């Protein structure tokens, strides 16, 4: 019961943060709320027994994402243009939410041990992890061994994203402006060389 | 009431999901869209982790005690991967925002749309003039 109370409270806190994030117009406050949301979500994951997910969410979701957002805010305007509530998107969101909520009734009860998700491969992972992989943390053995290809695919995605960021911010997408940049660069170097000759 | 208590996590997760969804589709500011996407995907993570929870269970780290019940480790693994992929897509999104701001001087998508339209009109006029 205590666990359920903490769980319910953290979820309500998350909902409040999300509503405030929707209403705030200063983007710095928005980014801070986003970090707070991720950190509260990390606490929620601890309550739900997902400790590995919790520290990844705290480090990556609350840490790296916030740093990326702040780096972006240092280059773009920090005020959002005020908006009224948009009726059509609001109706779409409410309707989608209502449909999803109707279907919730078919889900197994929260925390039920005989739910279909718990009787398929998970018992094998838990019973086989110690003898086959030799790692007490079952999440680690599934991540690195049973489902190692997933993790390999994940690193491919990160690599692709890193290349994409480099190309967007520094690469060939700026080709139309490059000639001017090079002219400016060569002029710059020439003037430096001239200065050096003057000094010599 | 007990029905709501039995599925409390799922109801709240859907509310969070729809708040994030609304921010993504309704708000014109691109940073706000990214934060909405963050809320959306974090609530999807929470849905998966809620599915993996077993009453009276502990974190899936083997204690050697045969009586202990472990929560399902499989959703945890899937969500670990999803978190890292999520931050990778976030990084690409913010890079695009910086690039759009350099090109158009605004990060409001309705203003960007107006600028793109006027660019196109100007180009069409420039193309039409030499022919006439």
């Amino acid at each position: 019961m205590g666990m359920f109370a903490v769980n319910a409270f953290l979820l309500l806190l998350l909902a409040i943060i999300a509503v405030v994030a929707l209403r705030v117009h200063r983007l710095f406050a928005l980014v801070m709320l986003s970090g707070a949301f991720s950190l509260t979500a990390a606490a929620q994951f601890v309550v739900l027994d997902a400790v590995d997910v919790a520290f990844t969410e705290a480090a990556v979701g609350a840490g790296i994402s916030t740093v990326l957002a702040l780096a972006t805010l240092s280059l773009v305007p920090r005020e959002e243009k005020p908006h009224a509530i948009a009726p059509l998107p609001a109706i779409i969101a409410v309707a989608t939410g209502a449909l999803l909520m109707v279907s919730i009734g078919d889900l197994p009860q929260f925390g039920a041990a005989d739910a279909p998700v718990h009787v398929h491969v998970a018992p094998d992972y838990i019973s086989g992890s110690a003898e086959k992989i030799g790692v007490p943390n079952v999440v680690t053995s599934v991540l690195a061994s049973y489902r190692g290809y997933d993790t390999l695919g994940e690193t491919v995605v990160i690599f692709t994203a890193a290349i994409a960021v480099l190309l967007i911010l520094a690469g060939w997408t700026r080709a139309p402006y490059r000639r001017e940049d090079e002219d400016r660069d060569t002029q710059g170097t020439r003037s430096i060389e001239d200065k050096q000759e003057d000094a010599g | 009431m007990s029905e709501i208590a039995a599925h409390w996590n799922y109801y709240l997760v859907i509310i969070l999901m729809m708040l994030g969804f609304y921010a993504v589709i309704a708000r014109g500011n691109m940073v706000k869209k990214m934060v909405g996407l963050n809320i959306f995907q974090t609530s999807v993570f929470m849905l998966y982790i809620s599915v993996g929870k077993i009453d009276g269970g502990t974190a899936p780290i083997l204690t050697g005690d045969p009586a202990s019940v472990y929560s399902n480790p499989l959703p945890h693994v899937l969500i670990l991967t999803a978190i890292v992929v999520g931050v990778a897509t976030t990084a690409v999104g913010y890079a695009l925002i910086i690039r759009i701001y350099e090109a158009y001087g605004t990060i409001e998508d309705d203003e960007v749309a107006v600028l793109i339209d006027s660019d196109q009109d100007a180009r069409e006029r420039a193309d039409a003039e030499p022919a006439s």
Side-chain angles (χ1 to χ4, degrees):
Chain A
M1 193 61 212
M3 182 252 93
F4 183 80
V6 175
N7 183 23
F9 171 74
L10 284 174
L11 275 169
L12 275 178
L13 196 59
L14 285 169
I16 293 168
I17 293 174
V19 170
V20 176
L22 264 182
R23 298 181 58 85
V24 76
H25 288 303
R26 276 174 304 159
L27 296 182
F28 183 78
L30 177 72
V31 168
M32 287 301 116
L33 283 169
S34 172
F37 186 89
S38 289
L39 206 58
T40 315
Q44 168 82 5
F45 291 147
V46 174
V47 175
L48 295 173
D49 293 345
V51 284
D52 302 78
V53 180
F55 68 67
T56 309
E57 178 68 32
V60 173
I64 296 175
S65 290
T66 309
V67 170
L68 288 174
L70 287 177
T72 307
L73 280 194
S74 68
L75 297 170
V76 303
R78 289 175 207 175
E79 283 285 330
E80 185 195 16
K81 206 173 67 175
H83 278 275
I85 289 179
L88 184 62
I91 291 170
I92 293 174
V94 170
T96 315
L99 276 175
L100 288 171
M101 282 189 184
V102 167
S103 65
I104 280 178
D106 295 338
L107 283 175
Q109 192 179 337
F110 172 68
D114 57 352
V117 65
H118 300 310
V119 296
H120 187 224
V121 289
D124 290 342
Y125 287 155
I126 290 170
S127 62
S129 176
E131 56 195 72
K132 286 186 188 149
I133 317 293
V135 180
N137 187 340
V138 186
V139 175
T140 306
S141 65
V142 177
L143 187 79
S145 181
Y146 286 108
R147 289 184 163 263
Y149 283 116
D150 279 12
T151 308
L152 180 67
E154 172 195 335
T155 56
V156 172
V157 171
I158 299 166
F159 181 66
T160 313
I163 291 175
V165 170
L166 288 177
L167 287 180
I168 290 167
L169 289 183
W172 298 322
T173 53
R174 294 183 178 183
Y177 307 105
R178 189 188 267 176
R179 199 166 296 143
E180 295 170 15
D181 289 349
E182 277 174 0
D183 287 351
R184 213 175 297 139
D185 281 350
T186 43
Q187 281 166 8
T189 18
R190 206 176 294 139
S191 65
I192 289 169
E193 281 166 1
D194 290 346
K195 277 177 199 162
Q196 282 171 341
E197 280 172 13
D198 291 345
Chain B
M1 184 59 211
S2 67
E3 146 64 23
I4 289 178
H7 292 124
W8 174 260
N9 273 37
Y10 303 134
Y11 284 111
L12 259 290
V13 159
I14 285 173
I15 291 172
L16 290 177
M17 236 185 252
M18 288 308 120
L19 287 171
F21 181 50
Y22 175 79
V24 173
I25 62 175
R27 290 316 180 94
N29 187 288
M30 292 172 189
V31 174
K32 197 146 207 176
K33 276 182 196 289
M34 293 302 297
V35 170
L37 199 63
N38 179 33
I39 291 174
F40 197 166
Q41 71 188 12
T42 308
S43 51
V44 173
F45 301 161
M46 215 166 285
L47 176 72
Y48 270 67
I49 300 298
S50 299
V51 166
K53 170 70 180 164
I54 296 179
D55 272 341
T58 65
I61 298 170
L62 301 177
T63 53
D65 177 10
S68 53
V69 177
Y70 302 109
S71 288
N72 195 333
L74 188 57
H76 301 183
V77 175
L78 300 179
I79 295 313
L80 276 181
T81 308
I83 289 175
V84 177
V85 169
V87 81
T89 54
T90 305
V92 177
Y94 281 127
L96 281 171
I97 291 174
I98 292 172
R99 194 70 190 85
I100 287 169
Y101 180 66
E102 282 181 358
Y104 294 102
T106 175
I107 55 167
E108 302 282 342
D109 65 359
D110 47 351
E111 292 175 2
V112 172
V114 169
L115 287 172
I116 290 175
D117 280 352
S118 63
D119 273 6
Q120 265 171 356
D121 288 351
R123 212 170 297 141
E124 275 162 18
R125 234 175 289 129
D127 287 346
E129 266 169 20
S132 61

